[in-house]
RNA sequence: GGCGCCGUACCCAAGUGGCUAAGGGAGAGGUCUGCAAAACCUCCAUUCGGCGGUUCGAAUCCGCCCGGCGCCUCCA
């Protein structure tokens, strides 16, 4: 069973064959750090997080690079306008690096809160100015770029394959250009590699051409090739980066090295709200920090991964609540498995009522089909039903079997998808010490006596009161009472 | 104007030529139960925006129409 990946370059699914056996070299476009991240960003990073976790599950050694863009992206028209970070700095009366640094930490905090594993390398654009200058020099030497007035532009006509990723033609771009024509450019579709800074510009570096700053695509080429090689396996990012960003990256990189840049291009689709793409400019953003005030990070991951990464996802409170409930169901089954593990034993002649291998197979089959997490998650739910049946129809449990079931969720739900915690919220059985636990136990015992006397009013009063302080009691058919913390 | 995507039940969402259209949530009924919660069982789209066509057979392919969206400017 081979791993198939949808490659934007060919618009079809292709078998994944790594350049170096057993290894995956992957670059994903990171954030421009001029504001807090919203849940649209989160879809991208959670999707690639699951993809990388799955590669590791398959046994690949992954080198994951994700840039931090702390310079270069402009606000308005292609060549004029003000750098976003500088704009923010001016507004807040801060040094641009203070802005970039502040939002970099904010981004890292958000990702940690969402359980997104850190990339192996998080290179900063401003930390790689020499590499970018070097790349531009190569492009000039090879005649793919030209200098005008201290700025350097890439000449798209010198690179006939320009447009191969996004399916555009230079002539069409010319016709439909909504960009104000920059008189320095030979052709409207040419893009800047280096811009000369005007005297008031806040971020600038010395270069052979001028005191200036790098163009807005060159950083990704410079940094990805520095850490992953001139040709590497996967480059990922948002669908909205296909053109012009990734198209330009290909042009710059392949022109400079004469080699294929990236083997598999992967693009995630957007989050929408009320039918419209979530974006800062549209103003319909929900920040990750605000989302997490209301919903649990794991439920949000479940929500994100229950749609395919290449599909658009419609966010709503109703959908998020659905995810919360779904997560409750999954964590419920794992909590019961945990609970049962301590009392389970070896049962002679035990024959497993569930084929766990079959569920592994189905999960992998789904993930191997271009990381189809919605189908993979359905497998987890299907098994949950069977496990619950097993747990409710038996009173004695076969330890190795219970362990195996538990391991299944541990590996796939916790390690690969990251939708279940390492440890489920404690239950009475799982705990042997602690004052809270002891107090709850005493209370439950008292309530059991009241129930024996059929003093329902008092018994219910205790249960309701505990619920108010976040402790849920569950009476079971055998007369015992379990409890858990309210999520 | 150019390029492209999507429209599956109340909500989110898989499925892209062939058994009964995944899964979750919500909803209805039932088992259990003093009640509740959880769990389990049953039900919940004869139908996939509409109309034609291709085919033995289509949600899936083709055409037209309706509706929504993305990119072409920074964007995950």
């Amino acid at each position: 069973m081979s791993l198939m990946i949808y490659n934007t370059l060919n618009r079809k699914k292709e078998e994944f064959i790594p350049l170096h056996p057993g290894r995956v070299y992957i670059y994903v476009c990171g954030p421009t750090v001029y504001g807090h991240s919203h849940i649209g960003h989160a879809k991208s990073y959670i999707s690639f997080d699951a993809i990388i976790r799955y590669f590791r599950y398959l046994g690949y050694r992954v080198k994951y690079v994700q840039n931090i863009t702390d310079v270069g992206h402009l606000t308005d028209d292609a060549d004029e306008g003000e750098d976003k970070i500088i704009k923010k700095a001016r507004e807040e009366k801060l040094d641009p690096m203070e802005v970039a640094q502040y939002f970099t930490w904010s981004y890292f905090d958000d990702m940690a809160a969402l359980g997104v594993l850190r990339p192996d390398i998080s290179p900063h654009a401003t930390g790689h100015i020499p590499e970018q200058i070097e790349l531009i020099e190569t492009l000039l030497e090879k005649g793919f770029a030209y200098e005008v007035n201290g700025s350097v532009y890439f000449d798209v006509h010198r690179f006939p394959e320009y447009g191969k990723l996004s399916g555009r033609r230079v002539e069409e771009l010319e016709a439909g250009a909504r960009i104000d024509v920059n008189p320095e450019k030979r052709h409207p579709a040419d893009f800047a590699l280096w811009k000369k800074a005007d005297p008031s510009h806040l971020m600038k570096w010395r270069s052979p051409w001028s005191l200036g700053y790098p163009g807005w695509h060159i950083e990704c080429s410079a940094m990805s090739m520095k850490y992953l090689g001139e040709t590497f396996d996967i480059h990922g990012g948002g669908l909205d980066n296909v053109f012009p960003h990734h198209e330009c990256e290909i042009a710059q990189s392949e022109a400079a090295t004469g080699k294929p840049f990236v083997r598999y291009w992967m693009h995630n689709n957007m989050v929408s709200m009320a039918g419209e793409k979530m974006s800062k400019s549209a103003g319909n953003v929900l920040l990750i920090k605000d989302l997490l005030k209301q919903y649990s990070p794991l439920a949000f991951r479940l929500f994100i991964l229950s749609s395919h990464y290449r599909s658009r996802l419609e966010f709503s409170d109703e959908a998020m609540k659905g995810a919360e409930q779904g997560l409750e169901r999954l964590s419920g089954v794992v909590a019961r498995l945990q609970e049962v593990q301590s009392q389970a034993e070896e049962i002679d002649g035990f024959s497993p009522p569930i084929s766990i291998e079959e569920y592994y197979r189905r999960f992998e089959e789904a993930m191997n089909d271009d990381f189809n997490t919605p189908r993979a998650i359905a497998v987890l739910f299907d098994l949950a039903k069977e496990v619950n049946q097993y747990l409710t129809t038996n009173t004695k449990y076969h330890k190795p079997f219970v362990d195996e079931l538990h391991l299944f969720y541990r590996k796939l739900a916790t390690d690969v998808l990251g939708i279940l915690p390492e440890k489920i919220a404690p239950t009475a059985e799982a705990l042997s010490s602690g004052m809270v636990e002891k107090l709850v136990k005493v209370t439950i015992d008292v309530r059991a006596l009241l129930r024996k006397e059929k003093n329902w009013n008092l018994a219910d009063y205790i249960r309701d009161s505990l619920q108010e302080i976040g402790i849920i009691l569950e009476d079971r058919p055998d007369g015992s009472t379990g409890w858990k913390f309210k999520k």
Side-chain angles (χ1 to χ4, degrees):
Chain A
M1 197 163 49
S2 53
L3 175 58
M4 304 296 283
I5 295 181
Y6 181 88
N7 192 346
T8 309
L9 215 40
N10 307 312
R11 318 249 164 151
K12 59 186 178 197
K13 288 179 194 170
E14 297 178 339
E15 183 179 352
F16 176 70
I17 300 166
L19 197 56
H20 308 283
R23 293 178 180 242
V24 178
Y25 289 78
I26 177 168
Y27 185 92
V28 174
C29 280
T32 302
V33 283
Y34 68 104
H36 294 296
S37 301
H38 57 68
I39 62 173
H41 300 110
K43 171 166 161 73
S44 183
Y45 303 123
I46 289 173
S47 297
F48 283 105
D49 183 52
I51 286 166
I52 278 151
R53 286 161 175 254
Y54 185 62
F55 273 124
R56 295 203 168 117
Y57 165 83
L58 291 179
Y60 285 102
R61 205 170 138 188
V62 180
K63 189 173 182 184
Y64 176 22
V65 179
Q66 188 192 78
N67 62 296
I68 296 290
T69 297
D70 49 4
V71 67
H73 288 243
L74 305 186
T75 45
D76 325 51
D77 295 327
D79 299 314
E80 301 315 316
E82 193 174 22
D83 184 298
K84 282 180 171 172
I85 291 165
I86 292 175
K87 183 170 179 232
K88 187 86 183 175
R90 215 183 287 283
E91 285 167 5
E92 309 278 331
K93 297 199 187 339
L94 295 169
D95 187 284
M97 275 316 255
E98 278 183 279
V99 173
Q101 197 60 252
Y102 175 76
F103 289 114
T104 301
W105 298 140
S106 163
Y107 170 69
F108 285 151
D109 287 348
D110 288 345
M111 290 304 109
L114 292 173
V116 171
L117 267 27
R118 289 280 289 269
D120 298 298
I121 304 175
S122 294
H124 291 242
T126 53
H128 295 76
I129 301 294
E131 286 85 350
Q132 296 177 63
I133 289 175
E134 204 176 314
L135 191 55
I136 297 168
E137 282 177 323
T138 304
L139 290 168
L140 279 166
E141 277 163 27
K142 294 196 172 181
F144 287 102
Y146 54 91
E147 186 201 336
V148 182
N149 233 340
S151 293
V152 182
Y153 298 93
F154 187 92
D155 186 343
V156 294
H157 283 286
R158 290 293 323 275
F159 190 77
E161 288 185 295
Y162 189 80
K164 69 178 174 183
L165 180 71
S166 56
R168 283 160 217 270
R169 295 176 178 283
V170 173
E171 308 80 67
E172 287 165 357
L173 290 170
E174 201 167 2
R178 308 191 299 180
I179 319 163
D180 290 338
V181 177
N182 174 346
E184 288 184 350
K185 287 180 179 180
R186 290 181 190 166
H187 185 279
D190 289 353
F191 56 92
L193 298 170
W194 187 266
K195 290 289 286 182
K196 180 181 178 178
D198 64 62
S200 64
H201 206 86
L202 291 172
M203 289 175 112
K204 48 199 164 194
W205 290 265
R206 216 175 295 285
S207 79
W209 316 287
S210 63
L211 195 58
Y213 53 93
W216 31 121
H217 309 298
I218 196 76
E219 61 168 287
C220 284
S221 290
M223 297 194 292
S224 61
M225 291 197 289
K226 170 166 180 166
Y227 296 111
L228 298 172
E230 293 181 336
T231 300
F232 58 93
D233 296 302
I234 300 172
H235 189 131
L239 200 55
D240 50 2
N241 270 330
V242 172
F243 189 88
H245 188 52
H246 293 157
E247 195 66 63
C248 294
E249 275 188 58
I250 292 175
Q252 295 163 345
S253 308
E254 300 195 345
T257 66
K259 296 172 187 167
F261 177 46
V262 166
R263 292 152 53 82
Y264 304 88
W265 281 93
M266 295 180 69
H267 292 98
N268 64 275
N269 215 138
M270 308 288 109
V271 170
S272 59
M273 235 172 151
E276 305 242 308
K277 173 187 170 184
M278 182 169 291
S279 72
K280 266 198 130 170
S281 44
N284 60 342
V285 296
L286 175 57
L287 298 184
I288 294 167
K289 291 182 205 311
D290 291 330
L291 172 98
L292 293 180
K293 286 175 189 160
Q294 213 178 341
Y295 301 107
S296 82
L298 297 178
F300 182 65
R301 285 184 72 104
L302 176 63
F303 171 67
I304 292 291
L305 297 175
S306 63
S307 93
H308 188 86
Y309 76 91
R310 280 192 291 110
S311 297
R312 248 178 62 156
L313 212 204
E314 170 74 12
F315 179 89
S316 67
D317 280 303
E318 195 177 358
M320 235 354 268
K321 282 177 185 136
E324 286 279 12
Q325 283 310 114
L327 182 70
E328 197 59 36
R329 188 174 163 75
L330 276 185
S331 56
V333 73
V334 177
R336 290 182 76 186
L337 282 170
Q338 259 178 211
E339 218 175 286
V340 151
Q341 268 178 319
S342 55
Q343 64 183 80
E345 55 206 78
E346 290 276 342
I347 294 173
D348 288 338
F350 175 83
S351 76
I354 304 168
S355 165
I356 301 176
E357 294 68 35
E358 179 64 11
Y359 283 93
Y360 275 106
R361 192 194 63 71
R362 285 178 55 201
F363 182 92
E364 289 173 19
E365 186 178 74
M367 290 298 280
N368 283 344
D369 183 14
D370 194 30
F371 308 99
N372 196 321
T373 53
R375 255 166 65 203
I377 288 169
V379 174
L380 302 184
F381 278 105
D382 285 346
L383 179 62
K385 185 170 223 167
E386 285 216 68
V387 172
N388 276 324
Q389 281 169 347
Y390 170 70
L391 294 176
T392 45
T393 54
N394 292 279
T395 45
K396 285 186 171 182
Y397 309 107
H398 187 56
K399 181 89 163 68
F401 183 62
V402 172
D403 288 346
E404 249 194 283
L405 289 169
H406 190 254
L407 184 64
F408 176 92
Y409 282 104
R410 167 69 199 218
K411 281 163 81 169
L412 304 185
T414 303
D415 294 346
V416 176
L417 299 177
I419 56 175
L420 286 181
E422 309 229 333
K423 278 187 183 155
I424 304 287
T427 59
E429 285 81 353
L431 292 165
S432 54
S433 65
M435 190 52 75
V436 173
E437 290 71 25
K438 286 173 183 163
L439 285 172
V440 174
K441 186 172 184 315
V442 170
T443 311
I444 287 174
D445 289 346
V446 170
R447 181 167 166 272
L449 292 172
L450 291 169
R451 292 175 72 211
K452 213 167 190 176
E453 296 167 7
K454 301 201 186 291
N455 190 338
W456 309 123
N457 283 340
L458 262 186
D460 288 353
Y461 171 76
I462 289 173
R463 187 174 58 200
D464 295 345
S465 303
L466 286 176
Q467 178 154 16
E468 274 178 35
I469 60 170
I471 289 169
I472 311 283
L473 297 190
E474 292 179 0
D475 294 335
R476 296 168 178 155
D478 65 6
S480 67
T481 298
W483 69 276
K484 63 186 179 186
F485 289 113
K486 188 156 71 184
K487 287 267 171 83

